[in-house]
Amino acid sequence: MVTSHTSGRDDAWEGVIEDKSRGMLDGSNMYHFVEVRRTDGESLRVRVDRRLWKSVAVGDRLVKEAGSDPVKG
């Protein structure tokens, strides 16, 4: 099951990107998402900034530490 999630500042996780998507959910702003399979087996859909979205591909590893944004790992 995939959980849609805006990664909180205090969340910490790491995983592998399974899918990338983007959309204009509100009709005026473009939102970028990645679906990540965490190391514990859970999948989640995380909103990321455009720069990170453009720099990653399916199969890349992302690391999110508490207090920071996800980064390519």
Side-chain angles (χ1 to χ4, degrees):
M1 178 176 157
V2 175
T3 304
S4 185
H5 182 70
T6 302
S7 199
R9 297 300 291 170
D10 295 331
D11 292 348
W13 49 262
E14 64 180 84
V16 176
I17 297 173
E18 293 186 325
D19 191 27
K20 292 172 48 174
S21 62
R22 62 184 180 166
M24 295 181 73
L25 305 178
D26 60 6
S28 63
N29 295 304
M30 183 65 73
Y31 295 95
H32 299 83
F33 298 95
V34 291
E35 185 176 322
V36 177
R37 171 73 60 182
R38 294 186 347 186
T39 54
D40 64 5
E42 183 180 339
S43 286
L44 57 108
R45 185 174 181 227
V46 180
R47 186 174 144 198
V48 296
D49 66 19
R50 179 177 175 256
R51 185 181 308 192
L52 178 61
W53 189 86
K54 289 182 80 171
S55 71
V56 296
V58 172
D60 287 348
R61 178 168 294 283
L62 283 185
V63 177
K64 162 77 172 78
E65 295 183 8
S68 64
D69 292 327
V71 294
K72 188 173 176 179

